[in-house]
Amino acid sequence: MSLHVFLLALILPVLGHEHHDQLTEEEAHAPVDAILWIHIFLQAAVWGVLFPIGMILGMTRSRWHVPLQSTGFAVTVAGYILGHAHKGRMFPASVHGTFASILFLPMAAQLLLGIYLKMHIHERSFRPWAVRAHGIVGKSYPILAWTQMLFGAITFRGYCRGGHLGQCLAHYIMGSGFIAYGTIMAILLVVGEAWVRRSGRSPEFWDSWVITVWGVVNTFTEHRGSTWSVKDMQHTILGILWWTGGVLGIFLSRNNQRNVIPAIIIILTGWAMSEHAQALMISTKVHATFGHTLMLAGVTRIVEICFVPTKFATDVSDGDAHSDHTLADSGSGSGYGGGSDSGKATAARAFRHLPPFLLVSAGLLFISATDEELQFVHDNGMDHVTYLLIMYSIAFVTYTLILSLINLYSTSGRNATTPNVIADNIEMNPRGITSKWYARVPIEPDSHVVGEDDD
């Protein structure tokens, strides 16, 4: 607790640090010194790796949660100071600097809530609400971290100023959306069966709602001014495509059914993006690869839904037809959730990572496809093949981190207190051990999930 108080005492003087508003030409183009590089790598490690791990350990009630988060807070403060203490290149006031100060609000809130929870007072009144608030703030860290790291990259390169802001928003928001989509899909496929079962809705129900809402927003925000450009028309009709297809997806998802409409929308969006007219040849190539990657993500999603036996499929017995019901048990012998590690089940475990990985890859490609970024690549003589391979390499690292965090959730804290902790996760637990957290979904609709307490 003394460490928490010490960190809080550091926050106020750090927030008072002045920013550089007026820069000379020499300051703006000076070399990047070692202190600034340390700031960049330190903050990326803390917010991109350390805090997400701490969040997972908090969700599993691990005893390492508090020490890890406290270390993260201390390193963040140190990194913030380094970001203002460096010499060499200076930067004008930016959203990155403003958001860095704002980030101390959730940090302070989590510290104060953590200290309060350690006191174990008001057990039946305020404490339950404090637990929920502490969890909400902690779970927001990956989103806050991703946003701030994007802001940092933008500020470092001086992008998204003037007339480039609109394009930056479109690429970074949509690209981040695809990455989030792939992350959520990976969670549902690897450890989320019990939650999907309890929700009473198929995964495509939630997909369709998000697509519908996003489509409505895009329909009315992509056109500005009185003249309709080709890109305005394309982006607006994509918005209409999303909400019309999303409505159909919602309708087909009634009674807990699976459907391929979200995947079809992904394919059509990828095709449209692959045909997007661009000023530079490298931009045309990158957009085409992004579109093809997105189309492949949609195709593999259709295959996963229709042909690959997964936890969401039903295979009551050998020879029986597959039911359309989303969350029935996979049966024994041939389905994904059965005890037999058949060739079909092995293939399913391998194949199910394709859609989320391709979505993550597509998101990173779209984020990296702004005019300013590709103009910089073009000016430095890099071809599209090298650039795209760099982005796919980053996608591999990103998806590895995502799966590592999912695995950590399955094997740490309260989920590691029992040897039976990862029963329903066939990939992480091929022996089929049963537990409260990963119990198999029963065949009978009205039967209880093994090991769960009655409400």
Side-chain angles (χ1 to χ4, degrees), residues 137-160:
V137 174
K139 291 180 180 67
S140 71
Y141 270 41
I143 299 174
L144 298 174
W146 179 260
T147 303
Q148 179 65 339
M149 286 189 287
L150 281 181
F151 287 161
I154 291 168
T155 300
F156 185 78
R157 292 296 313 155
Y159 292 155
C160 304

Side-chain angles (χ1 to χ4, degrees), residues 407-425:
N407 181 72
L408 181 64
Y409 175 81
S410 303
T411 57
S412 65
R414 65 186 180 189
N415 293 346
T417 56
T418 309
N420 301 335
V421 82
I422 44 178
D424 195 45
N425 187 343

Side-chain angles (χ1 to χ4, degrees), residues 41-309:
F41 287 110
L42 199 63
Q43 297 293 64
V46 172
W47 286 91
V49 180
L50 194 63
F51 276 146
I53 291 176
M55 176 196 71
I56 296 298
L57 295 180
M59 293 171 64
T60 61
R61 303 293 192 269
S62 169
R63 62 190 178 92
W64 294 104
H65 168 67
V66 173
L68 196 66
Q69 293 297 79
S70 298
T71 302
F73 292 147
V75 176
T76 296
V77 172
Y80 187 93
I81 295 173
L82 289 175
H84 292 78
H86 67 88
K87 306 297 182 183
R89 184 179 302 178
M90 298 297 172
F91 302 91
S94 65
V95 66
H96 178 65
T98 302
F99 198 65
S101 299
I102 294 174
L103 283 178
F104 280 101
L105 295 177
M107 288 176 61
Q110 193 181 39
L111 280 171
L112 291 171
L113 287 168
I115 293 171
Y116 172 80
L117 293 175
K118 282 294 183 182
M119 297 169 66
H120 291 280
I121 58 176
H122 309 123
E123 295 285 347
R124 297 183 179 274
S125 56
F126 185 72
R127 180 180 167 81
W129 295 99
V131 171
R132 294 180 183 178
H134 186 71
I136 292 172
V137 174
K139 291 180 180 67
S140 71
Y141 270 41
I143 299 174
L144 298 174
W146 179 260
T147 303
Q148 179 65 339
M149 286 189 287
L150 281 181
F151 287 161
I154 291 168
T155 300
F156 185 78
R157 292 296 313 155
Y159 292 155
C160 304
R161 296 182 180 273
H164 296 288
L165 178 61
Q167 191 196 47
C168 278
L169 290 174
H171 278 260
Y172 292 153
I173 294 174
M174 182 64 75
S176 299
F178 285 130
I179 295 172
Y181 191 1
T183 301
I184 294 171
M185 188 182 297
I187 293 171
L188 292 180
L189 289 175
V190 176
V191 297
E193 178 188 9
W195 179 88
V196 177
R197 171 74 172 184
R198 289 193 300 270
S199 75
R201 302 288 187 179
S202 67
E204 289 71 41
F205 174 83
W206 307 107
D207 293 4
S208 299
W209 265 109
V210 172
I211 290 171
T212 300
V213 173
W214 192 256
V216 171
V217 172
N218 270 30
T219 299
F220 298 102
T221 58
E222 290 297 326
H223 169 63
R224 299 176 183 84
S226 57
T227 304
W228 282 81
S229 67
V230 173
K231 288 188 176 181
D232 283 350
M233 288 186 283
Q234 287 182 349
H235 291 157
T236 301
I237 196 61
L238 274 176
I240 295 173
L241 173 80
W242 290 337
W243 68 256
T244 53
V247 169
L248 176 59
I250 293 171
F251 179 78
L252 293 177
S253 298
R254 71 193 190 283
N255 300 324
N256 205 14
Q257 306 297 308
R258 301 203 74 181
N259 68 85
V260 298
I261 297 302
I264 292 175
I265 294 174
I266 290 174
I267 293 172
L268 291 174
T269 302
W271 169 77
M273 291 293 103
S274 69
E275 298 293 326
H276 234 353
Q278 304 296 325
L280 294 174
M281 179 57 69
I282 187 173
S283 183
T284 301
K285 295 286 188 180
V286 171
H287 276 79
T289 304
F290 157 68
H292 296 153
T293 302
L294 199 58
M295 292 171 68
L296 187 57
V299 170
T300 54
R301 183 73 188 276
I302 291 176
V303 174
E304 180 263 319
I305 291 171
C306 297
F307 303 107
V308 176

